[in-house]
Structure formats: C-alpha cells, structure tokens
Amino acid sequence: AAKVGADKNGIGYTSLSTDFEKNGVSALQYEGVTASSESVLDGSYKLQRPFMYVTRAAGDYGSDDKEQLVQAFLDFMQNSTEGMAIVKKNGGEVDESKAKPWDELSKKYEAVLGKDNSAITITTCGSTSVEKTVKASLEAFSPMAGNFKFTMNQSGSGDAVPRVLGKEKDGPNKGDIGFASRAFKEDGSEDISKAMESGQYCIDAVVAVVNKENTDVTSLTQAQLKSIFTGETLKWEDIK
C-alpha cells in the first residue's frame, strides 16, 4: 500500500485492515460494493477468500496433552472474544457477535492448560497468507496454556492436507495444524474426512487501492482489475 501511496498513478491490493489514510491510498469499490466488515461477512463484497484449517486425526499427536492443546488453541482463536479480537487486529474478518469469553470456553481444558507444557511444540504448516493471524494468536495463547512452543512451517496451501493427514504427515515436514487460504478441494485430492477438526476461522478481504490523489477512479469490476493486472490496460483513461 505504501508504494501505491508514493505513486500518483499506482494501483495495488491490500488487506481491509490496512490504514489507508496513513499509507496515502484510497480503497476502491469492487463491482460497486464498498469493502467493510459488514459487506464481507454478509457476502455482498465478493473480493474475499476463506482462511481454513485442518488438523491431524484424533489420537495421532504423539501425546494426549498436545492433542488437547491443539483443540484448545483452535477454540481460542476462532470462538473466544480475545482470540477473535487478535485475528481481526491482524487482518482477518470475523463475526465477533458470536464470540464468548475465554474464561468461559477454557473450563473444559483446565487440566491441560494448568500444566507446564514447555516441552510440547505445536507445528503449523500450509498457507503463507495466514501467517500474521496465526502467529499473533499462538503468541497470545502460549502463556495462557503452559508456555508450549510453536513452529510455523508455512509453504503454501497445497501442503496443508498432505502434511497433517496425507503422505507427508510422518515426514520431516509434518504438521499438527494445516492452513489454507482457500477452500479445501472436494475432488478427492484433499481428503479431510479423518481430521480431528477442520473449518474456517476467518475471512481475508482483499481491497484494490489507488493513490489518494487519483479521484477519477472509485470502483472497478473484476474484468477491469484483470485487464490492469495482466498488463492489458496501462493507462487510467483506457479503462472501459
């Protein structure tokens, strides 16, 4: 966004959580719809993608404590007031009206949360796009859960399922939680039926931005954005 703010003819894309004013940019409507938490969550703003997660199968974590910590962490991140606030602060769109205080949700995990878990390491894998939201959530949750350690081995959405449930789940790149910045494929190539848990923890809204001095363009369509980013359209006056 900062690069676009420094180029009066620039265009780029960024997260909805970006400080547009600070970066000197203006957010564009997409297909005539303004990006906001409300329009993202109700689906009217279409330039978005889900942030998904999938875990190893139940009983496949090496210890009951690690398995319970994974369950507790996912509950914290996607269902608690505190966890949702962290995800939102770091760029994810969530429906905070459904959140519950962690003090309430954590009761079922009291046994494992009260232990010294510093010898346990939770490993994440998959999408690189989720890194900011997941890292912030893990950093906040670890001190609340016996100071477990974590390793993030993010390399791409396509590695999520193989490394927690597939052919790589017991190899050097194995993970405990796999993340994808898209829906998991339903063609059989990403079978998540054996996962202990899987789901969507937030939405990533993408916003096209232009330099704040460019007041001629306020909204772009999918076709127009494609034309610009493929290099077919090189001048603002040529937008059709």
Side-chain angles (χ1 to χ4, degrees):
K3 290 183 179 180
V4 176
D7 180 358
K8 65 180 182 180
N9 291 311
I11 184 172
Y13 54 89
T14 187
S15 169
L16 178 56
S17 63
T18 298
D19 187 330
F20 302 120
E21 182 67 27
K22 181 179 179 180
N23 284 280
V25 298
S26 298
L28 299 180
Q29 292 183 331
Y30 178 70
E31 299 286 0
V33 179
T34 300
S36 67
S37 292
E38 293 74 20
S39 63
V40 170
L41 293 175
D42 69 21
S44 58
Y45 183 79
K46 303 295 185 182
L47 198 56
Q48 58 171 268
R49 57 183 177 171
F51 276 2
M52 310 292 292
Y53 68 88
V54 62
T55 70
R56 299 180 75 87
D60 194 28
Y61 290 84
S63 76
D64 290 341
D65 285 349
K66 180 190 274 194
E67 182 170 318
Q68 291 170 33
L69 283 174
V70 168
Q71 290 177 311
F73 168 67
L74 291 172
D75 203 0
F76 170 79
M77 181 172 67
Q78 66 180 329
N79 295 318
S80 76
T81 304
E82 299 87 341
M84 281 190 173
I86 291 168
V87 170
K88 185 171 180 61
K89 181 179 179 181
N90 287 276
E93 292 301 321
V94 294
D95 185 354
E96 293 179 284
S97 69
K98 298 179 179 179
K100 295 182 179 181
W102 180 240
D103 280 348
E104 178 181 333
L105 295 174
S106 65
K107 291 178 180 178
K108 56 186 171 183
Y109 309 109
E110 284 180 349
V112 71
L113 296 180
K115 293 182 178 181
D116 175 2
N117 293 309
S118 58
I120 294 176
T121 299
I122 293 176
T123 301
T124 68
C125 59
S127 172
T128 58
S129 299
V130 307
E131 192 163 3
K132 189 176 180 181
T133 54
V134 174
K135 183 179 181 182
S137 299
L138 285 165
E139 288 176 340
F141 187 63
S142 176
M144 303 162 61
N147 294 302
F148 66 85
K149 297 179 177 63
F150 65 88
T151 298
M152 300 189 71
N153 186 19
Q154 312 307 126
S155 54
S157 294
D159 289 327
V161 175
R163 293 182 178 182
V164 299
L165 291 169
K167 60 184 179 181
E168 297 182 54
K169 76 179 187 69
D170 296 316
N173 294 314
K174 65 182 179 181
D176 298 305
I177 312 171
F179 291 92
S181 47
R182 56 166 173 76
F184 292 115
K185 297 177 181 178
E186 298 181 354
D187 60 3
S189 63
E190 292 184 334
D191 183 5
I192 61 173
S193 61
K194 295 181 180 179
M196 178 177 68
E197 292 187 31
S198 64
Q200 174 182 305
Y201 74 94
C202 76
I203 297 172
D204 180 38
V206 180
V207 183
V209 294
V210 295
N211 187 281
K212 66 179 181 181
E213 294 183 13
N214 184 349
T215 57
D216 295 329
V217 180
T218 58
S219 180
L220 290 173
T221 65
Q222 180 182 29
Q224 288 169 331
L225 283 171
K226 181 179 180 181
S227 178
I228 291 170
F229 284 105
T230 58
E232 182 180 342
T233 300
L234 299 175
K235 297 180 180 180
W236 288 114
E237 56 263 34
D238 293 336
I239 292 177
K240 300 177 181 179

